[in-house]
Amino acid sequence: MVKRSLRKILGAVLAAVFVLALSGCGKGGEEPGDGRLVLGFSQIGSESAWRIGNTKDIEEQAEAFGIGLMLENANQKQENQIAAIRRFIAYKVDVIAFSPVVEEGWDNVLLEAKEAGIPIILVDRDINTEHQGLTTCLIGADFYKEGVMAAEYLIRKADSMGLTQVNIVEIAGTANSTPMRQRQAGFMDTIKDDSRMRVLESIDGDFLKSRGAECMRYLLEKYGDSIQVVFSHNDEMTIGAIPEIEKAGFKPGNDMIIISIDGGQEAINVLKEGKINCVVECTPKLGKALMETAIKLKNGEAVEKLIHPAEQVFSDETDVSKIEPRGY
Ligand code: GZL
């Protein structure tokens, strides 16, 4: 008991020190030094080119909109995101935004933000809660549709190749995250009535390149040449998996159909080499919509509950040499 109360006291002292160290700004009874809107943003980490591109875009758009951005990198840990949101509350920012690493476990800190009267914007990923009104809106991709688009490509590919049996392995993203849950649901719902489709195994790659390689080594050892399709939830894991497929003596994109999601430059380059067959775009460029929404909230204006960016599919069905530079 003593340890816990000491931790609580230390937490409160640290928050107070943080506020004092930054005093004279934020909403503590006065506008930030230059009157700018102050946005606190808790970013998941730097696990992928997508995430790095998302951070870069948010920083650039904050600059363009003249918004004071406090961005904290949580290094994939939910507890770091919760601590960051508590610091933003203590600092009395105007708006808090975050990309939740997983869907559950946010109620307490979001109730604290609600009590503090600070609106919350969800960026990229969603939360799962029983409480109404903890957040104002979600700005991010339609991950279910991305899974559907990946499966629709596979069905077309199987048709064009005249396949009667399609053995699939899935390398999934971070467990319990919105993109992992919804990409998987969209893909599986779309193939479930196609008797040719058979999922040999689904394995958690945590959106990481290193885990993508580990997962692919395990799947190749277990299923070998019975694998006909690799469905990977993001480019990092796909790029980690490809050398393992080649080491095992197979030609990715030829002996195995490779389907990936994100659409970063590295994956598009590999698509152009013919080692990936399909890349479903998931744009990280959410910064402009985030800044516009934060300004509306600060001005007391209504905001759209859900903002999905438009997204496309890049695949060997078209002339991939014409794909413009991706910017992430
Ligand atoms: C998707 C985003 C995912 C990307 C991964 O919007 O949440 O997280 O697909 C990233 O690359 O790690």
Side-chain angles (χ1 to χ4, degrees), residues 102-119:
V102 292
E103 293 191 324
E104 283 79 25
W106 303 99
D107 289 358
N108 292 341
V109 73
L110 296 186
L111 281 165
E112 291 165 27
K114 188 169 184 176
E115 278 150 29
I118 302 176

Side-chain angles (χ1 to χ4, degrees), residues 44 46-51 76 99-100 123-125 140-141 143 146 174 177-180 183 206-208 233-237 261-262 282-284 286 311:
I44 289 177
S46 312
E47 75 282 1
S48 64
W50 189 97
R51 187 66 54 200
Q76 314 311 114
S99 177
V123 175
D124 173 31
R125 299 185 183 179
F143 302 123
E146 290 171 355
T174 304
S177 70
T178 313
M180 176 267 159
R183 284 171 180 166
D206 202 16
F207 287 131
L208 298 173
H233 286 193
N234 88 326
D235 296 344
E236 296 308 304
M237 299 188 296
I261 302 178
D262 274 352
C282 175
T283 179
L286 306 172
E311 299 179 321

Side-chain angles (χ1 to χ4, degrees), residues 164-217:
T164 55
Q165 169 83 33
V166 183
N167 293 329
I168 303 158
V169 293
E170 179 187 41
I171 305 179
T174 304
N176 304 320
S177 70
T178 313
M180 176 267 159
R181 284 175 169 167
Q182 293 188 12
R183 284 171 180 166
Q184 184 174 75
F187 186 88
M188 300 305 171
D189 287 352
T190 305
I191 66 168
K192 69 180 186 309
D193 297 330
D194 187 325
S195 59
R196 298 170 295 179
M197 303 292 167
R198 187 165 146 244
V199 179
L200 299 175
E201 188 163 347
S202 180
I203 186 169
D204 176 0
D206 202 16
F207 287 131
L208 298 173
K209 188 181 289 187
S210 56
R211 282 286 297 137
E214 286 165 27
C215 293
M216 200 66 234
R217 274 198 298 277

Side-chain angles (χ1 to χ4, degrees), residues 30-319:
E30 62 194 55
E31 286 296 346
D34 51 10
R36 291 190 300 169
L37 184 157
V38 179
L39 169 66
F41 182 76
S42 170
Q43 180 58 293
I44 289 177
S46 312
E47 75 282 1
S48 64
W50 189 97
R51 187 66 54 200
I52 292 163
N54 178 242
T55 298
K56 179 168 170 278
D57 183 66
I58 287 170
E59 289 171 336
E60 288 172 353
Q61 290 301 322
E63 183 75 27
F65 279 80
I67 285 175
L69 178 67
M70 295 169 66
L71 188 144
E72 292 203 25
N73 183 318
N75 295 313
Q76 314 311 114
K77 291 184 170 36
Q78 180 173 32
E79 60 267 28
N80 291 348
Q81 291 198 281
I82 291 171
I85 292 169
R86 286 202 164 111
R87 279 191 289 277
F88 298 149
I89 293 168
Y91 179 62
K92 296 185 171 59
V93 299
D94 296 295
V95 182
I96 294 171
F98 75 116
S99 177
V101 61
V102 292
E103 293 191 324
E104 283 79 25
W106 303 99
D107 289 358
N108 292 341
V109 73
L110 296 186
L111 281 165
E112 291 165 27
K114 188 169 184 176
E115 278 150 29
I118 302 176
I120 298 276
I121 299 172
L122 289 169
V123 175
D124 173 31
R125 299 185 183 179
D126 203 349
I127 61 168
N128 185 14
T129 178
E130 301 298 316
H131 295 269
Q132 296 298 317
L134 288 184
T135 61
T136 57
C137 62
L138 167 63
I139 301 170
D142 182 343
F143 302 123
Y144 184 88
K145 189 176 167 202
E146 290 171 355
V148 169
M149 293 195 285
E152 287 174 343
Y153 165 81
L154 177 57
I155 290 167
R156 294 195 301 270
K157 187 73 175 176
D159 292 346
S160 68
M161 294 173 70
L163 299 179
T164 55
Q165 169 83 33
V166 183
N167 293 329
I168 303 158
V169 293
E170 179 187 41
I171 305 179
T174 304
N176 304 320
S177 70
T178 313
M180 176 267 159
R181 284 175 169 167
Q182 293 188 12
R183 284 171 180 166
Q184 184 174 75
F187 186 88
M188 300 305 171
D189 287 352
T190 305
I191 66 168
K192 69 180 186 309
D193 297 330
D194 187 325
S195 59
R196 298 170 295 179
M197 303 292 167
R198 187 165 146 244
V199 179
L200 299 175
E201 188 163 347
S202 180
I203 186 169
D204 176 0
D206 202 16
F207 287 131
L208 298 173
K209 188 181 289 187
S210 56
R211 282 286 297 137
E214 286 165 27
C215 293
M216 200 66 234
R217 274 198 298 277
Y218 159 80
L219 293 166
L220 285 162
E221 280 157 22
K222 188 168 180 182
Y223 300 104
D225 62 2
S226 61
I227 298 171
Q228 293 166 284
V229 180
V230 179
F231 170 47
S232 166
H233 286 193
N234 88 326
D235 296 344
E236 296 308 304
M237 299 188 296
T238 306
I239 289 157
I242 284 174
E244 300 307 321
I245 295 171
E246 293 174 315
K247 278 183 217 162
F250 300 106
K251 286 195 187 123
N254 196 293
D255 300 331
M256 291 181 191
I257 297 164
I258 311 294
I259 301 171
S260 188
I261 302 178
D262 274 352
Q265 192 58 56
E266 193 175 3
I268 295 299
N269 294 344
V270 177
L271 172 75
K272 291 183 177 183
E273 290 168 24
K275 294 184 179 178
I276 294 177
N277 302 88
C278 172
V279 181
V280 176
E281 180 184 32
C282 175
T283 179
K285 296 174 182 170
L286 306 172
K288 183 171 182 290
L290 171 56
M291 302 307 152
E292 289 167 344
T293 304
I295 290 167
K296 284 181 182 172
L297 289 169
K298 164 107 178 175
N299 296 339
E301 296 167 24
V303 298
E304 286 178 72
K305 282 282 173 224
L306 189 53
I307 301 175
H308 279 329
E311 299 179 321
Q312 57 186 309
V313 176
F314 303 107
S315 81
D316 54 10
E317 297 164 300
T318 60
D319 178 1

